[in-house]
């Protein structure tokens, strides 16, 4: 039955693609801010979760999805976000119920990014039933995590997050981890990988801190040193290669490294939008805020200059004509002065514009990434290892079999 369902889904997608061939492309990765409220007060939170309590309405979400699905053959990813999205749990369920009964329901898939502390057995069963993928935010072992991922009164969240992970795994729900990397935890990256190994989690993303929201003006306290971060990255590469070689049925991938590997071996391969140049802001992805504002990218949350319209005031087709989107589509490593002359710009996507703006203001558009020196060490190192066949790239990224080799030294 499962193969039949997959065949029907594929057939439907082929039919839709042919029917709407030539139609203007619309974003298909939508981050929906269910609420600005949060039960935690993480010290670096870019959305200042919990500073206000507003929640989105089902009417706003329905209006948006009806328009983004119109004349659009693509599968649409709906990621519930916050704040902490489970603070608006009933609204989440109401939205899913509404979208499940739409003519385009077969093309909508759901995910959630959560701190995990509010996940009950009932929520885990619900996510299993609705085929959610779940991202959990955690920053390291208890003594490290609980320095930054804290409740309003200052107590840590590690134990509650681990309880949530256990409840999800009891129901067989797919989990990935996201860790914000700061000075406080960049020496604990292997601990996070060991956690993945212990829990059977196959995907993790290391996201270096950027100064926005509660994290604004905390660069001295939180920003990683790129040279030290590179040293820890070498250890991550070694750990992943060793683990994945010895455990081929339970490989673990780190998203940033996996994308760099793809960019080295298949330039322009179209890996996930944030690791592409140009990126997918406004074309592949937008963020929908609680008041109907649409951000060209969710990472710009709170910066009004990056709101391209409001779904309650304009139709989506008109919003997607905002010239800011064109600015993103023309921005790449070839338009940034230093990057345009760099010898590795065929493999490097140049970092995130939103992160650069958070560090440098609007000058960030024309500056190299704050992670530039890290890229300058990571990319040549990996390329040399692949060229000399010292590392099989399939141990660091999911790649076509033709790019695999067996020589490891």
């Amino acid at each position: 039955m499962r193969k039949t369902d997959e065949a029907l889904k594929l057939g439907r997608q082929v039919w839709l693609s042919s029917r709407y061939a030539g139609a203007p492309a619309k974003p298909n990765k939508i981050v929906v801010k269910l609420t600005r409220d949060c039960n935690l007060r993480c010290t670096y939170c870019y959305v200042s979760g919990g500073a206000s309590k507003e929640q989105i309405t089902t009417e706003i979400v329905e209006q948006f999805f009806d328009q983004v699905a119109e004349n659009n053959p693509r599968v649409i990813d709906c990621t519930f976000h916050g704040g902490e999205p489970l603070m608006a749990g009933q609204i989440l369920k109401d939205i899913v119920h509404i979208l499940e009964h739409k003519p385009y329901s077969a093309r909508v898939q759901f995910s959630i990014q959560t701190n995990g502390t509010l996940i009950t057995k009932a929520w885990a069963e619900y996510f299993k039933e609705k085929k959610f993928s779940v991202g959990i935010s955690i920053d390291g072992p208890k003594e490290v995590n609980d320095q930054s991922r804290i409740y309003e009164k200052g107590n840590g969240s590690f134990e509650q997050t681990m309880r949530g992970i256990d409840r999800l795994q009891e129901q067989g729900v797919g989990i990935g981890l996201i860790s914000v990397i700061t000075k406080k935890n960049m020496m604990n990256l292997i601990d996070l990988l060991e956690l993945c190994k212990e829990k059977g989690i196959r995907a993790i993303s290391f996201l270096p801190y950027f100064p926005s929201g509660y994290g604004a003006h905390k660069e001295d306290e939180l920003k990683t040193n790129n040279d030290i971060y590179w040293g820890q990255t070498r250890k991550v590469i070694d750990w992943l290669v060793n683990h994945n070689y010895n455990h081929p049925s339970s490989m673990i991938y780190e998203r940033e490294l996996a994308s760099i590997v793809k960019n080295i071996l298949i330039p322009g391969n179209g890996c996930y939008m944030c690791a592409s140049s140009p990126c997918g802001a406004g074309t592949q992805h937008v963020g929908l805020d609680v008041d109907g504002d649409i951000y060209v990218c969710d990472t710009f949350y709170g910066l009004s200059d990056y709101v391209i319209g409001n779904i309650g005031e304009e139709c989506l087709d008109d919003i997607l004509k905002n010239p800011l989107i064109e600015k993103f589509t023309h921005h790449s490593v070839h338009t940034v002065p230093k990057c345009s002359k760099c010898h590795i710009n065929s493999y490097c996507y140049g970092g995130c514009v939103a992160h650069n703006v958070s560090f440098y203001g609007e000058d960030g558009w024309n500056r190299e990434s704050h992670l530039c020196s890290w890229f300058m060490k990571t990319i040549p190192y990996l390329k040399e290892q692949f060229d000399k066949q010292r590392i099989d790239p399939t141990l660091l990224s999911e790649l076509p079999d033709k790019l695999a080799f067996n020589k490891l030294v």
Side-chain angles (χ1 to χ4, degrees), residues 240-284:
L240 289 171
V241 168
N242 180 67
H243 174 273
N244 291 343
Y245 180 73
N246 289 301
H247 302 88
S249 63
S250 57
M251 289 190 176
I252 297 169
Y253 295 113
E254 192 282 313
R255 186 174 68 175
E256 185 68 22
L257 284 175
S259 294
I260 288 174
V261 170
K262 287 182 179 179
N263 281 335
I264 291 172
L265 296 176
I266 325 172
N269 69 88
C271 59
Y272 92 102
M273 59 191 177
C274 297
S276 300
S277 180
C279 71
T283 53
Q284 298 179 54

Side-chain angles (χ1 to χ4, degrees), residues 210-348:
F210 60 97
S212 187
Y214 291 148
H217 312 299
K218 293 183 178 178
E219 291 92 331
D220 290 344
E221 175 188 349
L222 298 176
K223 185 180 183 299
T224 56
N225 174 286
N226 284 344
D227 290 335
I228 297 175
Y229 188 40
W230 158 241
Q232 297 306 303
T233 300
R234 278 286 307 269
K235 295 178 182 179
V236 168
I237 292 169
D238 291 346
W239 190 98
L240 289 171
V241 168
N242 180 67
H243 174 273
N244 291 343
Y245 180 73
N246 289 301
H247 302 88
S249 63
S250 57
M251 289 190 176
I252 297 169
Y253 295 113
E254 192 282 313
R255 186 174 68 175
E256 185 68 22
L257 284 175
S259 294
I260 288 174
V261 170
K262 287 182 179 179
N263 281 335
I264 291 172
L265 296 176
I266 325 172
N269 69 88
C271 59
Y272 92 102
M273 59 191 177
C274 297
S276 300
S277 180
C279 71
T283 53
Q284 298 179 54
H285 158 72
V286 292
L288 179 64
D289 199 6
V290 296
D291 58 1
D293 279 349
I294 298 175
Y295 283 87
V296 69
C297 170
D298 173 72
T299 311
F300 285 104
Y301 183 83
L303 299 179
S304 60
D305 287 346
Y306 292 89
V307 174
I308 57 175
N310 186 289
I311 196 64
E313 299 171 2
E314 304 172 73
C315 73
L316 184 61
D317 286 345
D318 287 342
I319 291 171
L320 295 177
K321 296 174 183 176
N322 189 298
L324 184 59
I325 295 176
E326 187 174 359
K327 184 176 180 179
F328 275 93
T329 61
H330 288 95
H331 181 271
S332 73
V333 290
H334 303 292
T335 63
V336 176
K338 184 175 179 179
C339 298
S340 67
K341 301 173 183 177
C342 180
H343 67 287
I344 63 168
N345 67 13
S346 296
Y347 316 114
C348 176

